[in-house]
Amino acid sequence: MTLTREKQIEMLRSMQTIRRFEERASDDYQAGAIYGVVHCYIGEEAVAVGVCAALNRDDQIISTHRGHGHCLAKGADLNRMMAELYGRQTGYCKGKGGSMHIADFSIGMLGANGIVAGGIPIVTGAGLAAQLEGKGRVAVSFFGDGASNAGPFHESINIAATWKLPMLYVCENNLYSAGTIAADTLALSDVAARAAGYGIPGVVVDGNDVMAVYEAAEAAVSRARAGQGPSLIECKTYRWRGHTERPGQEDPRPKEEIEEWRQRDPINRFATNLTDQGLLTEEAWQQMDDEILAAIEDAVKFSEASPFPDPEAAVEDIFAD
Amino acid sequence: MPKISYAQAGTDALIEEMQRDPTTFHLATSAQDELVKEFGADRVRATPIAEGAFTGIAIGAAGSGYRPIINWGMITFSFVAMDQIVNQAAKIHYMFGGQAKFPITFRASVGGGRRVAAQHSQSPYSMFMNLAGLKMILPSTPYDMKGLLKSAIRDDNPVISFESNRLMGVEGDVPEGDYTVPLGVADIKREGSDVTLVALAWLVHEGLAAADTLEKEGVSVEVIDPRSLVPMDEAAIHASVQKTGRLVIADEAGPTAGASAEIITVVTEDRETFAKLKTPPKRVCALHVPIPYSPGLEDHVFPDRDNIVAGIREVLDAG
Ligand SMILES: Cc1ncc(C[n+]2csc(CCOP(=O)(O)OP(=O)(O)O)c2C)c(N)n1
Ligand SMILES: [Mg+2]
């Protein structure tokens, strides 16, 4: 499976955009311009980007509390995303959602979700819609290792397998759920092994290798589009930062472990790979990064210049008219 | 006009709406033969007994252009899907700034009287009323069942249809073919001048019987059926209470933080209506207990026409 140079460069750009976006979001959160809670995806970018590279615009995805990466990988607008984090009227959800509830239905991004495993049934419904529609669309559920222990995961996968829904269940196994070590709540070493219990394919991939993720996703997407039903893909990965950006949280993770995973940086790895293949020069990479930083700076300016929603708008959008 | 049962009126509404709109489909833990024959196994699916998952599936399909109809069976089983109802369905339109519509109909039977004890005898609609973002209907006749359910299916929001299991076999006039009963419009079942009785579901029928009894004593009872709980036809209740100056509410649910409490608040918070009240309002509700099994116990817990008569007399005696 070879992707065009352009496509691969786009994937790298997407990964770096996620990273730079979150670095900025974290800074602005510490500075008080972003409220509540922010969960960063840094270190896991290859998963969202690798999977979304195998999708079309009208395919649908659903995300988790750690949702910025999925949004951006599916093509969300930086300005509207940052403005949502800033709580502004121009944000994706007019300031009603914030970091944990960003959605862009126009690009098939059905939302981040503050309830662990809460999105899995919902996106399975998008899979049912895709099947009823019969136009070959697929739906993708992103979720964590922690979510894979929850009822909605098992119930949904069973239904999708039985009805042969065009679905991908993508587990981002970052070895922890908040402060809990995955192995303390999960008797198997691989979440993917659970697929066997539902009669669907389950594969483990290196979640820090964007091309490996892409290839696994591409195979599962082809299968789903061909009417052969869902697949479970487990991406082994790691988050570099704490569970949330809130200062002073307990983190059970050994420093050496974090450092070890930083050495497996999915972005550096992909960039080096592209450079080695002669598809990317050092200068082009630097230039891309500068462009991304400039776009993020613009998004911050856009957000700062945007008004807060009129407080009266709090009573709008409870019901569709 | 043909007479059909409350239950059949619901099925007729479903069939007509599913014929009318190809984006509708039906999920429940069993697939009704009548529906499968008409619409096929693709649009009428038996799900695993996984209420959380198929409730969520409805949300995702609704957000993707479909108009799912879900039957939880009893409201009891909806509690297994509480995350999807409370955290997802009720909030998803709002949380995402109104980006997408979520037209979903959830059907569930409510109420007691069937000797099936606590877990299978519940009328918890006020638990759902407490959430912003869900509409809910509570039909009391076959006519309203068909008309309200059609409106619910056509509505672009999640709507819960609470269907009284005491009324399933009750027959009534239902026109053939299409008509709707709008959400948020109460039905004045009987006009009166001495006291307003707001009655819900099965108690509409008990309330009408109570009104007959009291008429013989020269008491004129106005009986109002709100028909939908969200939106609630507050104007109709205000107008009636302003006319009669007295309010009694009859509800098969317990009183605590119930629809009955909400209706009283609606009335007493309104200056004009409050000023017209001659006596404090009165609730005739179930006792605040889980529903017991043994017939004598169960019947003791639920209000009926006699309790309504007594409640109205109490209010009249108060001034
Ligand atoms: C149902 C539910 N329980 C608890 C929480 C609190 N919580 C938020 S994130 C999280 C950990 C989730 O772990 P995992 O699914 O592995 O995702 P990760 O954060 O590692 O990406 C928990 C427990 C929640 N949001 N929802
Ligand atoms: Mg995790």
Short mmCIF file of all heavy atoms in Angstrom, two decimals, chain A residues 39-41 44 64-66 70 100 113-118 143-150 171-180 182 239 242-244, chain B residues 83 87, ligand 1:
data_model
loop_
_atom_site.label_atom_id
_atom_site.label_comp_id
_atom_site.label_asym_id
_atom_site.label_seq_id
_atom_site.Cartn_x
_atom_site.Cartn_y
_atom_site.Cartn_z
N HIS A 39 -7.76 17.57 28.03
CA HIS A 39 -7.01 16.32 27.95
C HIS A 39 -6.18 16.34 26.66
O HIS A 39 -6.74 16.49 25.58
CB HIS A 39 -7.94 15.11 27.87
CG HIS A 39 -8.89 14.97 29.02
ND1 HIS A 39 -10.09 15.64 29.07
CD2 HIS A 39 -8.83 14.22 30.14
CE1 HIS A 39 -10.73 15.30 30.19
NE2 HIS A 39 -10.00 14.44 30.86
N CYS A 40 -4.89 16.17 26.79
CA CYS A 40 -4.04 16.23 25.59
C CYS A 40 -3.78 14.85 25.01
O CYS A 40 -3.68 13.85 25.71
CB CYS A 40 -2.73 16.94 25.91
SG CYS A 40 -2.94 18.73 25.98
N TYR A 41 -3.63 14.87 23.69
CA TYR A 41 -3.47 13.67 22.89
C TYR A 41 -2.01 13.51 22.46
O TYR A 41 -1.65 12.55 21.78
CB TYR A 41 -4.37 13.85 21.67
CG TYR A 41 -4.64 12.65 20.80
CD1 TYR A 41 -5.33 11.55 21.29
CD2 TYR A 41 -4.25 12.64 19.46
CE1 TYR A 41 -5.62 10.47 20.47
CE2 TYR A 41 -4.55 11.57 18.63
CZ TYR A 41 -5.23 10.49 19.15
OH TYR A 41 -5.53 9.42 18.33
N GLU A 44 0.03 10.50 20.83
CA GLU A 44 -0.87 9.50 20.24
C GLU A 44 -1.34 9.91 18.84
O GLU A 44 -2.24 9.29 18.27
CB GLU A 44 -2.09 9.31 21.15
CG GLU A 44 -1.73 8.97 22.59
CD GLU A 44 -2.94 8.67 23.48
OE1 GLU A 44 -4.03 8.37 22.97
OE2 GLU A 44 -2.78 8.75 24.71
N THR A 64 -13.57 10.89 22.09
CA THR A 64 -13.63 10.70 23.54
C THR A 64 -13.40 12.03 24.24
O THR A 64 -13.41 13.08 23.60
CB THR A 64 -12.50 9.75 23.98
OG1 THR A 64 -11.25 10.41 23.73
CG2 THR A 64 -12.53 8.45 23.20
N HIS A 65 -13.12 11.95 25.53
CA HIS A 65 -12.74 13.16 26.28
C HIS A 65 -11.42 13.73 25.75
O HIS A 65 -11.13 14.88 25.93
CB HIS A 65 -12.59 12.80 27.77
CG HIS A 65 -11.67 11.64 27.99
ND1 HIS A 65 -12.04 10.34 27.71
CD2 HIS A 65 -10.39 11.59 28.42
CE1 HIS A 65 -11.02 9.53 27.99
NE2 HIS A 65 -10.01 10.26 28.40
N ARG A 66 -10.62 12.86 25.11
CA ARG A 66 -9.31 13.28 24.59
C ARG A 66 -9.46 13.53 23.09
O ARG A 66 -8.93 12.80 22.27
CB ARG A 66 -8.29 12.15 24.88
CG ARG A 66 -6.85 12.56 24.90
CD ARG A 66 -5.94 11.40 25.32
NE ARG A 66 -6.19 10.89 26.66
CZ ARG A 66 -5.91 11.57 27.79
NH1 ARG A 66 -5.33 12.74 27.74
NH2 ARG A 66 -6.22 11.05 28.96
N HIS A 70 -8.67 13.77 17.15
CA HIS A 70 -9.63 13.18 16.21
C HIS A 70 -10.30 14.27 15.38
O HIS A 70 -10.51 14.11 14.18
CB HIS A 70 -10.67 12.35 16.96
CG HIS A 70 -10.06 11.35 17.90
ND1 HIS A 70 -10.35 11.31 19.24
CD2 HIS A 70 -9.16 10.35 17.68
CE1 HIS A 70 -9.65 10.34 19.82
NE2 HIS A 70 -8.92 9.75 18.89
N MET A 100 -14.19 19.15 25.83
CA MET A 100 -14.72 17.78 25.86
C MET A 100 -15.94 17.57 24.95
O MET A 100 -16.43 16.45 24.85
CB MET A 100 -15.09 17.39 27.30
CG MET A 100 -13.95 16.71 28.01
SD MET A 100 -14.49 15.95 29.55
CE MET A 100 -14.94 17.38 30.51
N ASN A 113 -16.65 13.29 23.71
CA ASN A 113 -17.67 12.87 24.65
C ASN A 113 -17.07 12.77 26.05
O ASN A 113 -16.02 12.14 26.22
CB ASN A 113 -18.25 11.52 24.21
CG ASN A 113 -19.65 11.31 24.73
OD1 ASN A 113 -19.90 11.42 25.93
ND2 ASN A 113 -20.57 11.05 23.84
N GLY A 114 -17.71 13.36 27.01
CA GLY A 114 -17.17 13.39 28.37
C GLY A 114 -17.44 12.13 29.17
O GLY A 114 -17.00 12.02 30.30
N ILE A 115 -18.18 11.21 28.57
CA ILE A 115 -18.50 9.97 29.29
C ILE A 115 -17.69 8.84 28.68
O ILE A 115 -17.81 8.56 27.48
CB ILE A 115 -20.01 9.64 29.18
CG1 ILE A 115 -20.87 10.83 29.60
CG2 ILE A 115 -20.34 8.38 30.00
CD1 ILE A 115 -20.68 11.29 31.03
N VAL A 116 -16.86 8.20 29.49
CA VAL A 116 -16.03 7.12 28.97
C VAL A 116 -16.95 6.04 28.39
O VAL A 116 -17.87 5.57 29.06
CB VAL A 116 -15.11 6.56 30.07
CG1 VAL A 116 -14.45 5.27 29.62
CG2 VAL A 116 -14.04 7.59 30.43
N ALA A 117 -16.72 5.69 27.14
CA ALA A 117 -17.49 4.69 26.37
C ALA A 117 -18.85 5.21 25.89
O ALA A 117 -19.55 4.51 25.17
CB ALA A 117 -17.67 3.38 27.13
N GLY A 118 -19.20 6.45 26.27
CA GLY A 118 -20.51 6.98 25.90
C GLY A 118 -20.71 7.13 24.41
O GLY A 118 -21.83 7.04 23.90
N PHE A 143 -11.72 5.09 21.11
CA PHE A 143 -11.94 4.98 22.55
C PHE A 143 -10.66 4.47 23.21
O PHE A 143 -9.77 3.96 22.52
CB PHE A 143 -13.12 4.05 22.86
CG PHE A 143 -12.96 2.68 22.25
CD1 PHE A 143 -12.35 1.66 22.97
CD2 PHE A 143 -13.38 2.43 20.95
CE1 PHE A 143 -12.15 0.41 22.39
CE2 PHE A 143 -13.18 1.18 20.37
CZ PHE A 143 -12.57 0.17 21.09
N GLY A 144 -10.61 4.58 24.53
CA GLY A 144 -9.40 4.19 25.25
C GLY A 144 -9.43 2.76 25.75
O GLY A 144 -10.43 2.06 25.64
N ASP A 145 -8.30 2.34 26.31
CA ASP A 145 -8.24 1.02 26.94
C ASP A 145 -9.24 0.93 28.09
O ASP A 145 -9.89 -0.09 28.30
CB ASP A 145 -6.82 0.75 27.46
CG ASP A 145 -6.28 1.93 28.25
OD1 ASP A 145 -5.88 2.92 27.62
OD2 ASP A 145 -6.29 1.88 29.49
N GLY A 146 -9.39 2.04 28.82
CA GLY A 146 -10.34 2.06 29.93
C GLY A 146 -11.76 1.81 29.44
O GLY A 146 -12.52 1.04 30.04
N ALA A 147 -12.11 2.45 28.34
CA ALA A 147 -13.47 2.31 27.79
C ALA A 147 -13.75 0.88 27.35
O ALA A 147 -14.90 0.44 27.34
CB ALA A 147 -13.65 3.27 26.62
N SER A 148 -12.70 0.16 27.00
CA SER A 148 -12.92 -1.20 26.49
C SER A 148 -13.37 -2.15 27.60
O SER A 148 -13.75 -3.28 27.33
CB SER A 148 -11.65 -1.74 25.82
OG SER A 148 -10.74 -2.23 26.80
N ASN A 149 -13.34 -1.67 28.83
CA ASN A 149 -13.85 -2.50 29.94
C ASN A 149 -15.31 -2.19 30.25
O ASN A 149 -15.89 -2.81 31.15
CB ASN A 149 -13.03 -2.25 31.20
CG ASN A 149 -11.58 -2.64 31.02
OD1 ASN A 149 -11.29 -3.61 30.33
ND2 ASN A 149 -10.68 -1.88 31.60
N ALA A 150 -15.89 -1.22 29.56
CA ALA A 150 -17.24 -0.76 29.91
C ALA A 150 -18.29 -1.44 29.04
O ALA A 150 -18.03 -1.80 27.89
CB ALA A 150 -17.31 0.76 29.75
N CYS A 171 -9.23 1.08 19.39
CA CYS A 171 -8.86 1.25 20.79
C CYS A 171 -7.48 1.90 20.88
O CYS A 171 -6.51 1.38 20.33
CB CYS A 171 -8.83 -0.11 21.50
SG CYS A 171 -8.34 0.05 23.23
N GLU A 172 -7.42 3.01 21.56
CA GLU A 172 -6.14 3.69 21.79
C GLU A 172 -5.64 3.22 23.14
O GLU A 172 -6.03 3.76 24.18
CB GLU A 172 -6.36 5.20 21.79
CG GLU A 172 -7.00 5.63 20.48
CD GLU A 172 -7.33 7.12 20.42
OE1 GLU A 172 -7.81 7.67 21.42
OE2 GLU A 172 -7.09 7.69 19.35
N ASN A 173 -4.84 2.17 23.11
CA ASN A 173 -4.36 1.63 24.38
C ASN A 173 -3.09 2.37 24.78
O ASN A 173 -1.99 2.05 24.32
CB ASN A 173 -4.10 0.13 24.27
CG ASN A 173 -3.76 -0.46 25.62
OD1 ASN A 173 -3.48 0.26 26.58
ND2 ASN A 173 -3.79 -1.79 25.72
N ASN A 174 -3.28 3.37 25.65
CA ASN A 174 -2.14 4.15 26.12
C ASN A 174 -1.68 3.66 27.50
O ASN A 174 -1.01 4.38 28.23
CB ASN A 174 -2.46 5.64 26.12
CG ASN A 174 -3.66 5.98 26.98
OD1 ASN A 174 -4.13 5.15 27.76
ND2 ASN A 174 -4.18 7.19 26.83
N LEU A 175 -2.07 2.46 27.83
CA LEU A 175 -1.60 1.74 29.02
C LEU A 175 -2.12 2.27 30.35
O LEU A 175 -1.83 1.70 31.41
CB LEU A 175 -0.06 1.67 29.08
CG LEU A 175 0.64 1.23 27.77
CD1 LEU A 175 2.15 1.18 28.01
CD2 LEU A 175 0.13 -0.12 27.30
N TYR A 176 -2.89 3.34 30.31
CA TYR A 176 -3.45 3.90 31.55
C TYR A 176 -4.85 4.42 31.29
O TYR A 176 -5.16 4.89 30.20
CB TYR A 176 -2.59 5.08 32.06
CG TYR A 176 -1.22 4.61 32.52
CD1 TYR A 176 -0.18 4.46 31.59
CD2 TYR A 176 -0.99 4.28 33.85
CE1 TYR A 176 1.06 3.99 31.98
CE2 TYR A 176 0.26 3.81 34.25
CZ TYR A 176 1.28 3.66 33.32
OH TYR A 176 2.49 3.20 33.72
N SER A 177 -5.68 4.33 32.31
CA SER A 177 -6.93 5.07 32.28
C SER A 177 -6.90 5.99 33.48
O SER A 177 -6.92 5.53 34.63
CB SER A 177 -8.15 4.14 32.30
OG SER A 177 -8.09 3.25 33.38
N ALA A 178 -6.75 7.25 33.21
CA ALA A 178 -6.49 8.27 34.24
C ALA A 178 -5.31 7.78 35.09
O ALA A 178 -4.25 7.48 34.55
CB ALA A 178 -7.74 8.54 35.05
N GLY A 179 -5.50 7.60 36.39
CA GLY A 179 -4.38 7.20 37.24
C GLY A 179 -4.25 5.70 37.41
O GLY A 179 -3.45 5.24 38.22
N THR A 180 -5.03 4.94 36.65
CA THR A 180 -5.04 3.49 36.85
C THR A 180 -4.26 2.78 35.74
O THR A 180 -4.43 3.08 34.56
CB THR A 180 -6.50 2.99 36.87
OG1 THR A 180 -7.18 3.68 37.91
CG2 THR A 180 -6.58 1.50 37.11
N ALA A 182 -3.55 0.09 33.15
CA ALA A 182 -4.49 -0.74 32.37
C ALA A 182 -4.48 -2.18 32.86
O ALA A 182 -5.53 -2.81 33.03
CB ALA A 182 -4.16 -0.67 30.89
N ARG A 239 0.41 8.41 26.12
CA ARG A 239 0.29 9.87 26.19
C ARG A 239 1.47 10.44 26.95
O ARG A 239 1.88 9.88 27.97
CB ARG A 239 -1.05 10.30 26.79
CG ARG A 239 -1.27 9.95 28.23
CD ARG A 239 -2.54 10.57 28.79
NE ARG A 239 -3.10 9.73 29.84
CZ ARG A 239 -2.60 9.61 31.07
NH1 ARG A 239 -1.51 10.27 31.41
NH2 ARG A 239 -3.16 8.82 31.95
N GLY A 242 0.17 14.39 31.43
CA GLY A 242 -0.70 13.83 32.47
C GLY A 242 -2.07 13.53 31.89
O GLY A 242 -2.37 13.88 30.74
N HIS A 243 -2.92 12.91 32.69
CA HIS A 243 -4.26 12.58 32.22
C HIS A 243 -4.99 13.83 31.75
O HIS A 243 -5.63 13.84 30.70
CB HIS A 243 -5.04 11.88 33.34
CG HIS A 243 -6.47 11.65 33.02
ND1 HIS A 243 -6.88 10.95 31.89
CD2 HIS A 243 -7.61 12.05 33.64
CE1 HIS A 243 -8.21 10.91 31.86
NE2 HIS A 243 -8.67 11.58 32.90
N THR A 244 -4.89 14.91 32.53
CA THR A 244 -5.42 16.20 32.09
C THR A 244 -4.32 17.23 32.28
O THR A 244 -3.25 16.92 32.83
CB THR A 244 -6.66 16.65 32.90
OG1 THR A 244 -6.23 17.19 34.15
CG2 THR A 244 -7.63 15.49 33.14
N ASP B 83 -27.25 6.53 30.91
CA ASP B 83 -26.19 7.40 30.37
C ASP B 83 -26.60 7.95 29.01
O ASP B 83 -26.48 9.14 28.74
CB ASP B 83 -24.85 6.68 30.25
CG ASP B 83 -23.85 7.54 29.48
OD1 ASP B 83 -23.69 8.71 29.86
OD2 ASP B 83 -23.27 7.06 28.49
N ASN B 87 -27.06 11.77 29.62
CA ASN B 87 -25.83 12.48 29.24
C ASN B 87 -25.72 12.71 27.74
O ASN B 87 -24.97 13.57 27.31
CB ASN B 87 -24.60 11.69 29.70
CG ASN B 87 -24.46 11.67 31.20
OD1 ASN B 87 -24.71 12.68 31.86
ND2 ASN B 87 -24.09 10.54 31.76
C1 LIG C 1 -18.39 6.73 32.76
C2 LIG C 1 -17.23 7.53 33.21
N1 LIG C 1 -16.57 7.18 34.34
C3 LIG C 1 -15.50 7.90 34.75
C4 LIG C 1 -15.09 9.00 34.06
C5 LIG C 1 -13.88 9.80 34.51
N2 LIG C 1 -12.78 9.59 33.55
C6 LIG C 1 -12.52 10.46 32.55
S1 LIG C 1 -11.31 9.93 31.53
C7 LIG C 1 -11.09 8.52 32.41
C8 LIG C 1 -10.05 7.52 32.00
C9 LIG C 1 -10.35 6.95 30.68
O1 LIG C 1 -9.34 6.06 30.30
P1 LIG C 1 -9.22 5.53 28.82
O2 LIG C 1 -10.56 5.07 28.33
O3 LIG C 1 -8.12 4.56 28.76
O4 LIG C 1 -8.86 6.84 27.98
P2 LIG C 1 -7.55 7.74 28.08
O5 LIG C 1 -7.83 8.85 29.04
O6 LIG C 1 -6.43 6.89 28.50
O7 LIG C 1 -7.36 8.30 26.71
C10 LIG C 1 -11.96 8.49 33.49
C11 LIG C 1 -12.02 7.40 34.47
C12 LIG C 1 -15.84 9.35 32.93
N3 LIG C 1 -15.54 10.46 32.21
N4 LIG C 1 -16.88 8.61 32.51
#
